[in-house]
């Protein structure tokens, strides 16, 4: 196989043995019965897996790597050029004698829309096949308790502006993903439970298509922390670890589990919910209905309350800025609140690590923003409860900022495209 990308694509395709992807009536992809063309379609994905953003692989290179004949590779490359996913970059010799070959690379024009719907904001952006983020836009929005249709309407308007900017820049929008902080069923487009949004069994499927109405691969719903965990794997620290727990700090606390460089979601698709690991038995009641969850001591609201930074009509972003200012000024109450969160965060990480044999953790959201203060407390907790299990060099703070979830949602959409390039052919 040419690359890990090909393995990812085949995992997606092989989820439907003997089948061919076709567009369904909702604009997404569905499987049709197996046909003679299956081998060619798989070879198309195989060749595409040998072409990276900046590889400049030639047709001869691909033939050597895949074992396909040069004639077959040339024919498959012609089809890939027709899809717009691949472009020619000019001649390259790569140290070989004879006629120079034409370098091939993934094009930067095909893109996917990434969107995130959280408790206090909406965000959208466009990601290309090189992993670059374009036209990122964030809007503050108090979404707790609001009707899903109303929130999706505002998000669709934000997405439309983003998609228009991409089109004006010559980009082609092929698909998208929406990340939500809650338990979701991607197949049906239903948010099963999002306690911090006060949503239960919210059907988003009818509105998902409105986020990218012309995109042939449609828009898929995902959990916010799972998407952020994948973004770290593809664009951040995760590639160095391979197996890690990603913890997302927002109003709630979410988690995503990556094992063997793949997202592990569990039989029901809900693995990694570290925010609801009990770390303080007998503690405060959590939004999930339980008591003493990590979220009750390390979520944004919990830290702000412990730091004495009350609402006062301010937005969450403004209050978090006030917390950082207090920390920088050496405010004892603020420092104690953050250190307490770091202590309990360590307990949750150790508990998860013992169960699934993890040795690395990546922290995003407000945990990354507060890393200078929460990091030492977290490391002390890890060392105190499980010496040597997760070493200091295996603790990383995300550098993706507030874009992690939407990058992951868009990245997953792009991988659906790369798994089925033939769907873009006439």
């Amino acid at each position: 196989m040419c690359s890990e990308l090909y393995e990812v694509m085949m995992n997606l395709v092989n989820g439907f043995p003997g089948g061919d992807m076709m567009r369904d009536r909702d604009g997404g992809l569905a499987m049709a019965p197996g046909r003679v063309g299956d081998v060619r379609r798989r070879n198309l994905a195989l060749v595409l897996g040998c072409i990276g953003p900046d590889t400049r692989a030639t047709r001869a290179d691909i033939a050597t790597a895949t074992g396909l004949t040069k004639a077959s590779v040339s024919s498959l490359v012609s089809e890939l050029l027709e899809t717009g996913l691949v472009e020619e970059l000019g001649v390259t010799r790569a140290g070989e004698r004879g006629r120079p070959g034409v370098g091939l690379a993934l094009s930067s024009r095909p893109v996917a829309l990434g969107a995130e719907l959280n408790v206090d904001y909406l965000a959208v952006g466009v990601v290309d096949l090189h992993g670059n983020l374009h036209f990122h836009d964030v809007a503050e929005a108090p979404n707790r308790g609001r009707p899903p249709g109303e929130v999706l309407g505002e998000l669709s308007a934000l997405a439309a502006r983003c998609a228009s900017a991409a089109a004006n820049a010559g980009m082609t929008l092929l698909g998208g993903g929406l990340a939500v902080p809650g338990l979701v069923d991607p197949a049906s487009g239903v948010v099963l439970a999002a306690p911090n949004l006060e949503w239960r069994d919210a059907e988003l499927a009818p509105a998902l298509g409105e986020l990218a109405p012309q995109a042939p691969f449609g828009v898929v719903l995902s959990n916010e922390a799972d998407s952020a965990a994948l973004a770290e794997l593809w664009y951040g620290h995760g590639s160095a670890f391979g197996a890690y727990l990603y913890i997302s700090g927002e109003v709630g606390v979410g988690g995503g589990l990556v094992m063997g460089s793949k997202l592990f979601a569990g039989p029901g698709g809900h693995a990694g919910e570290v925010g609801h690991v009990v770390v303080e038995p007998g503690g405060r009641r959590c939004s999930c209905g339980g008591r003493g969850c990590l979220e009750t001591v390390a979520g944004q609201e919990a830290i702000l309350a412990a730091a004495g930074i009350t609402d006062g009509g301010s937005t969450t972003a403004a209050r978090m800025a006030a917390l950082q200012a207090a920390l920088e000024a050496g405010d004892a109450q603020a420092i104690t609140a953050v250190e307490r969160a770091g202590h309990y965060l360590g307990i949750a990480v150790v508990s998860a690590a013992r169960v699934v044999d993890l040795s690395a953790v990546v922290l995003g959201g407000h945990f990354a923003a507060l890393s200078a203060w929460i990091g030492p407390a977290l490391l002390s907790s890890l060392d105190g409860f499980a010496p040597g299990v997760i070493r200091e060099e295996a603790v990383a703070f995300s550098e993706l900022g507030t874009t992690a979830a939407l990058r992951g949602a868009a990245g997953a959409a792009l991988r659906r495209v790369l798994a089925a390039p033939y769907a873009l052919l006439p």
Side-chain angles (χ1 to χ4, degrees), residues 198-404:
E198 298 177 3
W199 290 1
R200 182 171 291 278
D201 296 326
E203 296 185 7
L204 303 190
L208 285 176
E210 297 304 313
L211 294 176
Q214 304 303 319
F217 282 77
V219 178
V220 174
L221 185 66
S222 66
N223 171 266
E224 166 261 336
D226 284 348
S227 289
L230 287 173
E232 283 297 328
L233 177 65
W234 298 327
Y235 313 121
H237 293 287
S239 60
F241 296 140
Y244 58 93
L245 175 66
Y246 176 85
I247 304 181
S248 170
E250 298 286 347
V251 170
V253 175
L257 190 57
V258 173
M259 304 290 287
S261 296
K262 297 177 184 177
L263 182 70
F264 177 76
H270 306 144
E273 284 295 312
V274 69
H276 299 291
V277 168
V278 176
V279 295
E280 189 183 30
R284 291 175 51 218
R285 183 70 67 184
C286 180
S287 62
C288 72
R291 187 181 291 278
C293 298
L294 176 63
E295 188 172 297
T296 65
V297 289
Q300 283 182 357
E301 296 299 328
I303 294 175
L304 289 168
I309 299 175
T310 56
D311 191 338
S314 300
T315 64
T316 303
R319 294 165 66 207
M320 288 301 295
L323 173 62
Q324 284 193 289
L327 292 168
E328 290 168 359
D331 182 87
Q333 186 176 357
I335 291 172
T336 298
V338 172
E339 289 179 345
R340 180 171 181 266
H343 171 77
Y344 283 109
L345 189 59
I347 294 175
V349 171
V350 166
S351 299
R354 292 295 197 190
V355 171
V356 293
D357 190 24
L358 282 174
S359 59
V361 60
V362 182
L363 300 107
H366 68 255
F367 298 131
L370 302 174
S371 61
W373 299 275
I374 208 168
L378 169 61
L379 292 173
S380 175
S381 183
L382 293 174
D383 186 58
F385 291 110
V389 172
I390 297 183
R391 300 180 182 277
E392 182 175 353
E393 59 270 21
V395 176
F397 289 92
S398 175
E399 297 174 0
L400 299 178
T402 59
T403 71

Side-chain angles (χ1 to χ4, degrees), residues 20 57 123 157 163 166 184 249 289 292 418:
D20 174 30
V184 304
L418 294 173

Side-chain angles (χ1 to χ4, degrees), residues 33 79 111 192 199 243 293:
E79 291 189 340
V111 295
L192 303 175
W199 290 1
C293 298

Side-chain angles (χ1 to χ4, degrees), residues 70-239:
K70 291 182 179 179
S72 294
V73 169
S74 293
S75 176
L76 292 165
V77 167
S78 294
E79 291 189 340
L80 290 173
L81 290 170
E82 189 176 351
T83 67
L85 297 174
V86 171
E87 61 184 359
E88 295 179 323
L89 296 179
V91 298
T92 177
R93 287 191 180 274
E96 298 179 1
R97 293 180 292 177
R99 290 194 308 169
V102 177
L104 300 164
L106 295 178
S107 172
S108 60
R109 291 187 297 276
V111 295
L113 179 82
E116 181 184 4
L117 186 166
N118 222 304
V119 177
D120 51 3
Y121 66 88
L122 303 172
V124 296
V126 163
V127 177
D128 64 27
L129 289 172
H130 295 236
N132 299 316
L133 177 65
H134 307 269
F135 314 114
H136 180 220
D137 198 357
V138 181
E140 292 183 356
N143 296 319
R144 192 194 306 270
R146 295 175 65 199
E150 182 179 310
V151 177
L152 265 292
E154 291 184 12
L155 186 61
S156 293
L158 206 62
R161 293 199 296 271
C162 191
S164 178
N168 291 337
M171 298 175 176
T172 303
L173 187 60
L174 298 179
L178 170 62
V180 176
L183 303 181
V184 304
D185 180 3
S188 63
V190 173
V191 177
L192 303 175
N196 289 314
L197 287 170
E198 298 177 3
W199 290 1
R200 182 171 291 278
D201 296 326
E203 296 185 7
L204 303 190
L208 285 176
E210 297 304 313
L211 294 176
Q214 304 303 319
F217 282 77
V219 178
V220 174
L221 185 66
S222 66
N223 171 266
E224 166 261 336
D226 284 348
S227 289
L230 287 173
E232 283 297 328
L233 177 65
W234 298 327
Y235 313 121
H237 293 287
S239 60

